[in-house]
Amino acid sequence: METLYHQTNKQIQEVQSLMGRLENTDRQSVHLLENELQARIDQIFSHLERLEILASKEPPNRRQNVKLRVDQLKYDVQHLQTALRNFQHRRYSRETQDREREELMSRTFTTNDADTSIPIDETLQLNSNLNNAHRGMDDLLGSGSSILTGLRDQRGTLKGTHKKMLDVANMLGLSNTVMRLIEKRATQDKFIMIGGMLLTCVVMFLVVKYLG
């Protein structure tokens, strides 16, 4: 159990280090690095499944602490997966914009008479403005998606932590008053999380409606 836990934790740290190289990797190599990162993340998820099975077999006095440690690893690797997907989304957008720009610059124009003129500067400026707006929308939507994913992950973590706190509290014989305070705080956190998710959705809807 401990050997697999430390091995998985080391793999997460290695993935975090590789993630920092994505922005500085050239186009020819970035696909290989992305594939390597995804393969390592998939392997980490496989190890986490094994760790969850082993954690359930731990003695009762150690089980809660072991499950909390495994949940933290799962939370870390989920954020790495989200960060990788956001980077890939931004890269696809940049490649599409570069391709469209190259197609525009290589396009040949013809005229039917001497009086026909083509406002190429205005066309390039319009295309640049549209690309900037498109990139801003992509970044905003990607950030919103990342925030929503983080909120959902935090909700799951809070629910699991709440249940484990109740179990520990029962084992320690805490009073009913303390239990009610814990449940009240958990309910408040739940409303705050839901409010944050709703506010994020409203902002994304307004941005898409008025800027799209």
Side-chain angles (χ1 to χ4, degrees):
M1 171 71 190
E2 288 298 322
T3 301
L4 183 58
Y5 172 84
H6 290 297
Q7 180 183 355
T8 305
N9 188 40
K10 182 180 178 181
Q11 288 178 325
I12 291 177
Q13 294 175 358
E14 291 174 351
V15 171
Q16 289 174 336
S17 178
L18 287 175
M19 289 287 292
R21 294 167 46 190
L22 278 173
E23 295 291 346
N24 298 324
T25 304
D26 57 76
R27 286 187 177 184
Q28 288 74 21
S29 303
V30 70
H31 299 282
L32 298 176
L33 182 56
E34 288 176 355
N35 292 337
E36 180 182 354
L37 285 168
Q38 187 59 60
R40 293 195 180 205
I41 289 174
D42 291 340
Q43 186 179 36
I44 292 172
F45 276 121
S46 177
H47 288 175
L48 287 174
E49 292 178 358
R50 178 62 180 164
L51 283 172
E52 289 180 333
I53 295 175
L54 294 176
S56 64
K57 297 179 180 180
E58 288 288 320
N61 61 331
R62 296 186 64 245
R63 190 175 303 158
Q64 298 295 332
N65 183 49
V66 171
K67 286 185 176 181
L68 283 174
R69 294 167 65 194
V70 174
D71 286 343
Q72 183 60 50
L73 291 180
K74 183 184 295 186
Y75 182 77
D76 292 340
V77 75
Q78 285 173 344
H79 275 276
L80 289 174
Q81 179 71 83
T82 300
L84 177 60
R85 288 175 179 171
N86 286 341
F87 173 82
Q88 290 174 325
H89 178 73
R90 292 195 301 270
R91 181 175 61 78
Y92 294 152
S93 297
R94 288 196 301 267
E95 290 179 352
T96 300
Q97 292 164 11
D98 292 342
R99 184 170 59 254
E100 292 175 349
R101 187 179 298 107
E102 290 176 0
E103 291 175 354
L104 180 63
M105 295 300 295
S106 62
R107 180 180 175 184
T108 57
F109 297 93
T110 59
T111 59
N112 294 325
D113 54 64
D115 295 332
T116 303
S117 60
I118 300 173
I120 186 64
D121 292 338
E122 295 180 4
T123 302
L124 289 175
Q125 181 65 35
L126 177 59
N127 182 71
S128 177
N129 292 338
L130 290 175
N131 285 335
N132 291 336
H134 179 69
R135 182 167 56 253
M137 289 290 294
D138 286 341
D139 291 342
L140 181 59
L141 292 175
S143 299
S145 176
S146 178
I147 291 172
L148 289 176
T149 300
L151 288 173
R152 285 195 295 267
D153 293 341
Q154 291 177 13
R155 179 188 179 191
T157 302
L158 287 173
K159 289 176 65 177
T161 303
H162 176 230
K163 181 177 182 302
K164 292 165 185 175
M165 288 178 64
L166 293 178
D167 293 339
V168 174
N170 288 329
M171 293 172 60
L172 296 177
L174 294 178
S175 66
N176 291 332
T177 301
V178 176
M179 295 290 289
R180 285 195 296 271
L181 289 174
I182 293 174
E183 293 178 353
K184 181 178 179 182
R185 179 57 185 273
T187 302
Q188 292 174 347
D189 291 343
K190 179 179 179 181
F191 286 136
I192 292 173
M193 182 197 66
I194 293 174
M197 292 177 68
L198 291 175
L199 179 60
T200 301
C201 290
V202 169
V203 172
M204 290 177 63
F205 172 76
L206 293 175
V207 170
V208 172
K209 180 177 181 181
Y210 291 104
L211 297 183

